[in-house]
Structures are given as structure tokens and as C-alpha cells.
Amino acid sequence: MSEFAAMKNQNFGTLAIHGGQEPDPSTGAVMPPIYQTSTYVQTAPGQHKGYEYSRTLNPTRHALEKALASIELGSHGLAFGSGLAAVDACMKLLKPGDEVISCSDLYGGTYRQFVKIYEPFGIQFHFVDMDSSEQVASLVNERTAMIWVETPTNPMLNVIDIPAMATIAQAADALLVVDNTFATPYLQQPLTLGADIVLHSATKYLGGHSDVVLGALVVKNDDLAARLAFIQNATGAICGPMDSFLVLRGIKTLHVRMDRHMSNAKALVAHLNEHPAVEKVFYPGLESHPGHALATRQMRGYGGMISFVVKGDNHEDAVSVVSALKVFTLAESLGGVESLAGHPASMTHASIPKAQREATGVTDGLIRLSVGIEDIQDLLHDVDSSLSVLL
Ligand SMILES: *Cc1c(COP(=O)(O)O)cnc(C)c1O
């Protein structure tokens, strides 16, 4: 058995720390050094140690790419300068005339790239509610080249059935891409559920400390890996060695952080659900959540993201609540150790037209929380005192 195959049999926490990692061969350094170099000596023309030029391959990025493949149970990882650069690399697998079926409740930046960059290049996107597999299947035709899934979705935390989408994609001979940013591989491993490509904004939970912007793809097929590696090298949207190092370090504590994100989220959800100033709470861990049973089937836990609507569902009240928070920081992004709060309608989802945004549930009174790993008493107190402005 190869070392990599042996690794696959290990439990997640061990994989997160050791997966794809060996001590640095030249020095024995336990952590992969930050190889801040653009080029590598050749002993004779074309003779080198596997590294020629850092756009193509850099040892620190390579270590990260191996770690990514390992935690997603894939065969190849590819790291990019941002999550959206990873989205862009997937789009470059397509050609004019191709069609993509995507979930409608999508990260705003992904939606913007699809519509503003790739639609003018002749790719057609269908945005659908993926609760219904029949509706997705009815859109399939001979031009369908990709099915794009984000689950749980941002910010409504809808859960999409990955195996059901994989069945449709296979029948259509289309690629299934799953953006696994919200769940992380600790909670959900899409390649084992039939996905062809897993995408991450490693800026979020994988990095975990709000100190780096980086994107990743993981695949399990050699041919697809080669096509994506070609795109990565030919179009050049790579991440640097320092950023690779930061994400590599973040991955080592992913499972420990996720457990705390989830226990804090669970306590906050229970509290918000009973709160008189809250109209509705969205969290896949709630039994009343429409995706609860599905989440229980395809995920190990329900994650650290919560959305809720303030009583009356209006813009001013939501803004005054997020502005009154003190431990939760008002900021875009998610997945860091610190708790963040956002008002999607005016922040992350401002680029989506209002009618379309509201049709997917992103109303003016919606607040999104990325629950951090602080002490739960302080988070509960913070949410309580800011909601009290509405009572
Ligand atoms: C943030 C995010 C992205 C984009 O990633 P960047 O690293 O910001 O480019 C894509 N998908 C999801 C679900 C995200 O949250």
C-alpha cells in the first residue's frame, strides 16, 4: 500500500495533522518551510528535483495541495490565489455553448463571476432551487456540462442532496462541482458522495484565522487533475508560499475548531429560537429545518453558521442589531476563530438583484452569524444585549 493509500484509512484528526505531510527532505524541518523562491537550480538543462518554476510547482504550495487532497479523500489538490480563482479555474473547463445548472442560493461572488464574466463568453447558467431533483433533471440537455452545488448554502443554509445531484450529473455526462466551504471536509466529504470536484474558499474555515485569502480544488480523477493543473499553470492564479503555509497550519486544527464552532452554534441556535425579538432561525441542526434529515445523512455535524430574521423582517432593525454587537465583529467573511456578524442584503449579497435575493429568502431582516470559538457565555450575552434594542 502506498503511503497515501495508508493515510486514507486514518481518522480525520490524524489526516488533518499528518495527511500528505512528510518532514522537509533537505533539512528535516517538521513543518514545511516557506519556500520563498521563484525558481530552482538545474544541474543540466531539464535536470531538476521536480521543481522548475514556482507558478508550476512550489514545495510549500505542493505540501498544501497534498494536505488538501488528503482531508477531502481525493487524489489531487490544487491551490489558488482565492476561492473565486478556484471557481474561475473550473469555468475554464467549459467552452462556449455549454450550460451549467447551479443552485440559486449561491455565494454572491460566484454568482457575479458566472453572470458578469462567463455569460458574455457564451456559457449559459440556470439557477434553480435544488430541493427538487426533478426540477434539476428537467433542465438537463446535451449542452449540460456542469452541475454546481453549494451545500449548506450561503446564507440560507439550505441542504442539497449531493448523491442525488451526482446521479443526475453522471447520467448527463456532466461534472458535479461542490463548494464545500461551509461544511468543511471534517463535516462532509463530497468526493465520497459522487462529486467530481470539491471547491473551497480556504479563506474561511480551512485557514480559520481570518489572515489569508486562498482557494482550493480537490479531485479524484487523474485526467481531470491534469486538465486543472494545466489551467492552473497556463492561467497562473496561484497562491504564494506564505499563504500556502498559513492554510497548511490552519488545517491542522480544523477538527478541533469545528467542534467548538458547532457547540457554540448549537447553544446560540437554542437561545435565538426562543427569543422574542427573533422571527425565524435557519440552522440545519434544527429539527424544523427542511434539510435536517438530509444534513444528518450526508454530514457529520451541522456547522458553525446561523442565519436568523429579526421580528418584523425590516432593514433598519437588522442593521441596528448587527451594529449593537460587541463580541461579534461586523464584517464580511466567515469561518475564523472570531465571531462575525453580517447583514447579507447590504453586504455579501448586495450584488444580487433585490427581487432575486428575496426570492431565495435573503430578506432585509436577515442576519448571518459566523459563530467563533470564544466562550459561549460571552456570545450569548452579546446577542441578547444587541437584540434588546428591538424590545
Ligand atoms: C468566500 C466564499 C467564496 C469565495 O472565496 P474567496 O476566497 O473570497 O475568493 C466562494 N464560495 C463560498 C461559499 C464562500 O463563502
Side-chain angles (χ1 to χ4, degrees):
M1 208 183 323
S2 73
E3 193 187 349
F4 185 69
M7 275 289 186
K8 281 194 174 188
N9 296 327
Q10 295 185 340
N11 291 311
F12 192 88
T14 309
L15 276 183
I17 293 168
H18 298 289
Q21 307 296 301
E22 301 104 42
D24 180 50
S26 57
T27 61
V30 168
M31 273 303 285
I34 300 164
Y35 280 96
Q36 200 72 52
T37 185
S38 60
T39 191
Y40 308 82
V41 67
Q42 305 200 0
T43 47
Q47 277 179 32
H48 52 76
K49 297 179 174 173
Y51 299 96
E52 294 164 86
Y53 184 62
S54 281
R55 171 163 30 73
T56 316
L57 204 56
N58 169 281
T60 318
R61 195 179 88 226
H62 197 197
L64 170 64
E65 291 177 336
K66 286 189 284 184
L68 290 162
S70 160
I71 57 175
E72 281 290 3
L73 303 183
S75 56
H76 301 270
L78 299 113
F80 295 86
S82 69
L84 284 180
V87 172
D88 183 69
C90 294
M91 288 298 107
K92 287 174 174 140
L93 292 166
L94 304 175
K95 58 182 188 316
D98 282 350
E99 294 188 11
V100 178
I101 305 173
S102 164
C103 53
S104 51
D105 182 8
L106 194 66
Y107 175 72
T110 305
Y111 175 82
R112 183 179 56 197
Q113 184 180 123
F114 286 178
V115 171
K116 301 270 187 191
I117 307 284
Y118 283 100
E119 237 168 43
F121 274 97
I123 293 168
Q124 195 186 336
F125 295 89
H126 302 275
F127 297 98
V128 288
D129 175 357
M130 289 191 168
D131 276 356
S132 153
S133 321
E134 291 75 34
Q135 208 190 327
V136 177
S138 74
L139 286 166
V140 168
N141 62 51
E142 68 282 359
R143 292 182 300 277
T144 307
M146 191 174 273
I147 297 185
W148 192 281
V149 170
E150 213 180 284
T151 181
T153 65
N154 175 29
M156 300 312 296
L157 303 166
N158 292 321
V159 185
I160 296 168
D161 190 332
I162 299 173
M165 293 304 133
T167 304
I168 297 170
Q170 272 154 23
D173 207 12
L175 291 169
L176 176 63
V177 183
V178 175
D179 183 334
N180 204 28
T181 300
F182 269 42
T184 82
Y186 179 52
L187 303 185
Q188 169 175 286
Q189 288 164 314
L191 295 177
T192 68
L193 300 169
D196 299 293
I197 302 176
V198 175
L199 184 142
H200 280 281
S201 169
T203 312
K204 318 294 169 52
Y205 288 108
L206 298 187
H209 296 75
S210 306
D211 52 9
V212 61
V213 173
L214 191 144
L217 299 177
V218 184
V219 299
K220 59 190 177 189
N221 170 288
D222 291 347
D223 174 53
L224 189 54
R227 287 168 68 200
L228 286 167
F230 178 81
I231 291 167
Q232 184 193 40
N233 185 47
T235 65
I238 51 150
C239 51
M242 178 74 197
D243 291 352
S244 301
F245 173 86
L246 287 171
V247 174
L248 203 45
R249 183 167 71 169
I251 286 173
K252 290 180 192 285
T253 56
L254 177 63
H255 51 300
V256 181
R257 287 184 285 110
M258 288 313 290
D259 282 340
R260 179 65 168 261
H261 284 300
M262 286 194 290
S263 65
N264 281 354
K266 192 176 173 193
L268 273 163
V269 163
H271 191 74
L272 288 168
N273 217 20
E274 299 294 317
H275 203 287
V278 173
E279 196 158 299
K280 192 163 174 28
V281 181
F282 300 91
Y283 185 67
L286 280 170
E287 276 179 34
S288 58
H289 188 279
H292 180 68
L294 178 56
T296 306
R297 252 193 342 264
Q298 75 184 14
M299 300 174 72
R300 186 208 285 245
Y302 306 107
M305 299 298 297
I306 304 172
S307 290
F308 67 97
V309 177
V310 294
K311 193 117 226 144
D313 196 3
N314 73 67
H315 190 279
E316 295 68 35
D317 285 346
V319 167
S320 50
V321 169
V322 293
S323 308
L325 289 163
K326 294 201 164 58
V327 181
F328 279 86
T329 304
L330 179 61
E332 299 208 359
S333 200
L334 61 110
V337 289
E338 64 289 305
S339 291
L340 301 180
H343 181 237
S346 50
M347 297 166 67
T348 46
H349 289 61
S351 59
I352 300 182
K354 183 175 162 84
Q356 189 177 340
R357 159 167 77 68
E358 294 202 327
T360 62
V362 185
T363 55
D364 287 345
L366 187 81
I367 292 173
R368 189 188 79 175
L369 301 180
S370 170
V371 181
I373 64 171
E374 299 93 338
D375 286 297
I376 186 61
Q377 295 84 347
D378 297 325
L379 298 181
L380 289 169
H381 180 257
D382 193 31
V383 163
D384 251 354
S385 45
S386 71
L387 280 170
S388 69
V389 302
L390 302 187
L391 295 176

